Each structure stands twice: as C-alpha cells, then as structure tokens.
C-alpha cells in the first residue's frame, strides 16, 4: 500500500506503475532516522523513494526500481508558531488539516492547501505539489515567500548533510519530489483566519459562468480564497450538486425563475453550469450581484464550516476523483490559460471539443496579480 499513490488517474501511468513495490519500508520518526536511513542506502547503493501521505497523482511516491520507501509521516510535530508574525514551523509529516487547525487557534490559517487537505502532509505538498485552494489569494508554491524555510537531508557518498534553506534557496527543493534531498522540516507564512462563506451559482452557459468567475477574481473589494467553475453536466453528474452544492428543502433554487429565462437551467441539472466562490462574508453581496449581472442564479450561501462538503473537495484534483468513482474511463489534462485571452481560449476549446469528448473544469489562480484559469478537462 505504501508503494502507491494516485497515479491511477492517468491511463498512461497506470499500466507502467501498477505492481511496482519497494523491497523495504522505513518509518522515520525523526530527522536522525532520515540521516541514518540515507547513509545506509548510499552505503549499500539502494534506491530511496520518499513518501508523504501518498496523495500525489503522478507516481511521485512509487518506487520504480524497488529499494526503500522512506515514509515521513512520523515527523508529525508542530515545532513552533509565531502568532505575532504569522509563521509556523513543523515536521514534514504533519497533516495539513492539523496544521491549519493549530494555526486557527492563534487566529491564523494556511495560505493555501491542496484539495487533499484532510490527509496530505506538509512535506508532501511542498515537495510534490504546486498550488491549491488559496492560490487565488496568495499565488502558488513557486512564488517567492510561499515557503519561508526548509530543512533538507542530502544523500551523498560521504555522511549526509542537513541543510537549512531559506529565501530563494528553497526553490530547487520545492516541487522536486524529494529527488535531490529529503525535506524534514518546513516553515510557512500564514494568513489571518477568515470566517469564510461558500457561494454557489448556476448559469445557462459556460461562457457566462467563466466570465462571472473572472469578474469576481478581479473584484478588489471581495476577499476570496477560491473560485471553481464546472461545465455542465460535471456538477450534476459527478459532484452530487443537488444535495451538496445547491440549497435544499424550502430554500431550494427556483429554476424556472427569470434567471433561467432561456430555459437552459430549468431543463434539469445536466444543463446547469456551476460556479463556486469562497469569500469573506462582506463579499457575499457583491458576488451575488455579479452573478445576476451575468445571468446566473445564486443557489446557496452557507458558512464554510457548515457546508455538507468543504468547497475544496469539489475542486482541483478532487473533481477527477469524484468523476472516476462514477466512470473509470475518465482522466484529465491540465493547462494554464493566458490571462489576457482566457475567455477567448475557453471558447476555442469549447468550439473544437464537444462535451461528449471533453468537459471543462476551471480553477482561478493568482498569477503575479493577474488572474488566470487552470483548466482541468
């Protein structure tokens, strides 16, 4: 089990990586364990594959040539938090959910995290991830200042070194999959905790939903943590939209209202293009007004802490996870749409590929103060 991750998302990786298993497993609980393990591996010329929580999608945690899987989940201590400056340092094996819970006790929260926040480790995210929920506000891990510091153990012919990296010196290790050193400790900047609200909106066209998403992203007075857009019928078919995304009972949306005047949304869930926004409470009103301006219908506003499913577990790579549970043949391609021409490129994709072949799922991210789509299809 600890020789696998979520490489099965890919029809190319699945046949190549299925069945590859390590010869041994090391459960590290300290930096000293990591140093000793790497020293022994180098001495005996044994391959080492570093593992966090195994939530990656690209085979990062799969041992290609046997050897040792070095499981870092035991390095799970939160070392320190500076509640005045808003920084936190912890072991690489700390789960992101535990890290954010601890930060919130001091009035802070993580700047960003993957959709696998409940299970992913901070070391795995830094070494194998790149962006996630919160990147709309703070940018991805490649931004200068997204990772303040790292402790990294090298694997060399002589005694492994423990390096303390900070500033831009962290960049060679971030998103390197543990191939040039094993991260044992991470220092991250935090953001002031917000009482987030989740807003769901439905639109009669993908074009309208996407334009709404970019307008919300570029609304400077709206503090927002995430924006996702799902082309019809993704939300209805794969994400249980009627039960988990839209309001239910007496508050259920009136699909035959003026917002659905062209009949598209009243026709059924398969025709509804859905956008979700997570914003601070004062931003709800502006978001609802932008929704109406784009011909959409606000279908639910809920406190993030009271939502039946966290917003981030609808988006990012969780969208594919949900789709795979319904259809094992589904996979995804990912690209970044140039900010200045994002809507035009979106229309071009729609024109070249019909919904029976390709469905578009969009995440809005901050690219050096310019907002752009990350397209999962």
């Amino acid at each position: 089990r600890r020789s696998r991750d979520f490489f099965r998302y890919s029809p190319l990786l699945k046949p190549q990586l299925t069945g590859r298993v390590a010869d041994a497993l090391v459960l590290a609980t300290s930096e000293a364990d990591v140093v000793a393990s790497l020293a022994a591996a180098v001495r005996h010329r044994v391959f080492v594959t570093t593992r966090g929580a195994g939530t990656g999608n690209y085979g990062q945690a799969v041992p290609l040539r046997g050897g040792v899987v070095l499981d870092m989940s035991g390095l799970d201590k939160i070392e320190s938090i500076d509640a005045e400056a808003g920084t936190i340092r912890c072991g690489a094996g700390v789960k992101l959910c535990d890290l954010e819970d601890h930060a919130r006790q001091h009035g802070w929260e993580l700047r960003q995290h993957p959709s696998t926040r409940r299970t992913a480790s901070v070391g795995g995210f830094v070494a194998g991830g790149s962006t996630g929920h919160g990147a709309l506000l703070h940018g991805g891990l490649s931004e200068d200042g997204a990772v303040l510091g790292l402790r990294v153990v090298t694997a060399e012919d002589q005694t492994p070194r423990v390096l303390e990296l900070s500033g831009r010196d962290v960049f060679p290790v971030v998103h390197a999959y543990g191939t040039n050193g094993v991260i044992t400790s991470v220092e991250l900047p935090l953001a002031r905790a917000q009482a987030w609200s989740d807003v769901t909106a439905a639109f009669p066209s993908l074009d309208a939903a996407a334009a709404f998403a970019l307008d919300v992203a570029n609304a400077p007075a709206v503090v927002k943590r995430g924006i996702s857009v799902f082309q019809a019928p993704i939300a209805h078919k794969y994400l249980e939209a009627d039960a988990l995304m839209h309001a239910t009972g007496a508050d259920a949306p009136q699909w035959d209202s003026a917002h659905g005047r062209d009949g598209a949304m009243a026709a059924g869930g398969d025709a509804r293009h859905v956008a979700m926004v997570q914003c601070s409470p004062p931003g709800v009103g502006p978001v609802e007004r932008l929704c109406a301006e784009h011909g959409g219908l606000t279908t639910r506003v809920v406190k993030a802490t009271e939502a039946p499913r966290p917003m981030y577990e609808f988006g990012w790579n969780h969208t594919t996870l949900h789709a795979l549970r319904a259809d094992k043949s589904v996979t995804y391609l990912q690209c970044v749409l140039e900010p200045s021409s994002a809507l035009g490129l979106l229309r071009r994709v729609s024109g070249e590929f019909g919904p029976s072949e390709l469905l578009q799922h969009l995440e809005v991210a901050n690219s050096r103060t310019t907002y752009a789509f990350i397209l999962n299809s």
Side-chain angles (χ1 to χ4, degrees), residues 135-158:
L136 170 62
L137 189 58
H138 300 288
L141 290 177
S142 62
E143 297 295 336
D144 191 354
V147 178
L148 298 177
L150 298 172
R151 282 177 66 86
V152 182
V153 181
T154 67
E156 302 176 76
D157 286 336
Q158 304 302 318

Side-chain angles (χ1 to χ4, degrees), residues 25 79 94 98 123 131 156 208 214 261-262 265 295 306 325 347 376:
L25 172 66
E79 299 167 15
V94 173
D98 294 334
T131 188
E156 302 176 76
L214 286 183
R261 56 188 174 275
D262 61 0
M265 290 196 290
E306 297 176 1
R325 287 171 176 165
R347 296 181 190 116
N376 291 298

Side-chain angles (χ1 to χ4, degrees), residues 324-347:
L324 278 168
R325 287 171 176 165
D327 183 351
K328 299 299 183 185
S329 68
V330 169
T331 188
Y332 74 101
L333 300 172
Q334 189 174 84
C335 64
V336 176
L337 302 184
E338 173 63 34
S340 62
S341 55
L343 291 177
L345 291 169
L346 187 73
R347 296 181 190 116

Side-chain angles (χ1 to χ4, degrees), residues 145-196:
V147 178
L148 298 177
L150 298 172
R151 282 177 66 86
V152 182
V153 181
T154 67
E156 302 176 76
D157 286 336
Q158 304 302 318
T159 302
R161 292 179 294 157
V162 179
L163 307 178
E164 187 84 40
L165 306 178
S166 61
R168 293 184 176 179
D169 289 340
V170 304
F171 283 155
V173 181
V174 173
H175 201 61
Y177 299 156
T179 57
N180 56 4
V182 177
I183 297 171
T184 59
S185 179
V186 179
E187 183 180 9
L188 296 174
L190 300 169
R192 281 295 181 188
Q194 298 271 358
W196 298 107

Side-chain angles (χ1 to χ4, degrees), residues 26 31-48 68 70 153-162 182:
V26 174
E31 187 175 84
D33 288 348
V34 176
V35 171
S37 298
L38 292 180
V42 169
R43 186 165 62 251
H44 295 286
R45 315 305 293 176
V46 173
F47 293 104
V48 176
V68 172
L70 178 58
V153 181
T154 67
E156 302 176 76
D157 286 336
Q158 304 302 318
T159 302
R161 292 179 294 157
V162 179
V182 177

